[in-house]
Every structure is written in structure tokens, then in C-alpha cells.
Amino acid sequence: MDSKKRIKAICLQLLARRDHSVLELIRKLKFKGFELSLINEVLAQLLADNYLNEQRYAESFTRQRILKGYGPKRIEYELNQAGIDDFDMDSVLDETADSWMDVLAKVYEKKFSQETVITPNEWAKRSRFLQQRGFTGSMVSALFKTLNIRFE
């Protein structure tokens, strides 16, 4: 089997499992030792045949990450790492949840108790967890204000 057919077979196997971005496939194929020029030729054909579609990948990835409780900053960062820039996450958010604040509230309710009076250390711990999930500091502050969370 020549290299192009082998690259295409590997790509189709990977795409059968889940959508990938172009950059992800390039990284995987380069790791397997294929030449970049051959990889680019095969990927251009896969894009033309719509086996590979970065918009579909970004939508699927964003939907999965929202359902797992990740915020906009984290999802945007992970999409950038996959080579996706300028993707409108709000269109996917409308299908998946009402708003980022709803996603944030669900993550908070799942992880933490419903105490409204907490220590400053506990407040910092909770805030840090939510920010690591990709929610902004202003979103976290708004959630704490909405839930009427105060210090002891």
C-alpha cells in the first residue's frame, strides 16, 4: 500500500471514531512518520469530500465540553490547541444549555454543598475550582452573589 492510501486509511479509521481537527490529524500522522506534503494532500482531499469538517468538529467538541461542565475560557483554549480559531460557541450553547451561568450553577451544585456561609479559604477553593473549569472571575462572583454566599 502506498503512503497516500495508508494515510487516508489511518485518517478514515480515526474519523470513524470521532471528528478530528486538521491540526490533530497532522500531529498524529507526523508522529507515525509520514511526510507533511503527503499528509496535506490527503487532508485536502478529505476536506473536499467532507469526511473532515472543522466546523462539525468544533460543534461536537464544544457540545461535549459544555455537557461535562466546562466554561467558555477553557473550551476556547482547548479549541485553539486543536487549531480552531474564531468559533462561535454561543450557537452550540443555545442547543445545549440556557446560558453559561446555568452551566456554572450546575457545576457548582454538583461539586459543592449548598452552605451559604463559608470560610475565606473555602471561598477561594471553590472560586479556584470554577476558574480552572474555564469560568471567568466575574461569572464566579456573580454566581456567589446570586447564591448569597458569605464569609463566616
Side-chain angles (χ1 to χ4, degrees):
M1 184 183 294
D2 72 4
S3 291
K4 279 186 177 179
K5 286 184 180 178
R6 194 156 170 243
I7 291 170
K8 185 175 181 179
I10 291 170
C11 287
L12 292 176
Q13 282 180 335
L14 291 170
L15 291 168
R17 291 185 200 139
R18 69 169 177 86
D19 285 320
H20 285 73
S21 71
V22 171
L23 187 61
E24 282 181 322
L25 288 178
I26 288 173
R27 286 181 185 147
K28 288 181 180 184
L29 293 167
K30 282 178 72 177
F31 182 75
K32 290 182 182 283
F34 293 107
E35 289 181 34
L36 185 59
S37 61
L38 292 175
I39 294 170
N40 286 333
E41 284 181 40
V42 172
L43 292 183
Q45 186 61 45
L46 291 174
L47 283 166
D49 294 341
N50 203 25
Y51 286 113
L52 182 60
N53 183 320
E54 289 200 324
Q55 178 73 22
R56 187 175 59 220
Y57 165 78
E59 289 173 0
S60 172
F61 181 84
T62 302
R63 188 174 307 109
Q64 290 173 354
R65 298 308 272 175
I66 288 172
L67 291 174
K68 286 188 174 187
Y70 287 93
K73 292 294 179 191
R74 174 84 177 251
I75 295 170
E76 182 180 357
Y77 173 77
E78 291 176 349
L79 284 173
N80 286 338
Q81 292 296 305
I84 308 291
D85 296 324
D86 295 332
F87 175 68
D88 180 24
M89 289 186 284
D90 291 337
S91 62
V92 177
L93 177 67
D94 291 341
E95 299 169 6
T96 311
D98 290 335
S99 69
W100 287 115
M101 289 304 290
D102 286 346
V103 176
L104 174 60
K106 286 179 186 173
V107 170
Y108 185 83
E109 289 170 8
K110 184 176 178 183
K111 178 75 176 175
F112 300 109
S113 65
Q114 300 304 312
E115 303 168 48
T116 56
V117 180
I118 58 176
T119 64
N121 283 343
E122 183 64 23
W123 182 90
K125 177 182 163 188
R126 292 178 183 198
S127 180
R128 192 171 41 250
F129 171 79
L130 295 171
Q131 288 181 4
Q132 287 174 346
R133 281 283 179 136
F135 298 100
T136 63
S138 61
M139 293 169 79
V140 173
S141 294
L143 176 72
F144 287 169
K145 189 174 182 179
T146 302
L147 297 176
N148 198 21
I149 294 176
R150 302 179 314 265
F151 296 135
E152 283 182 326

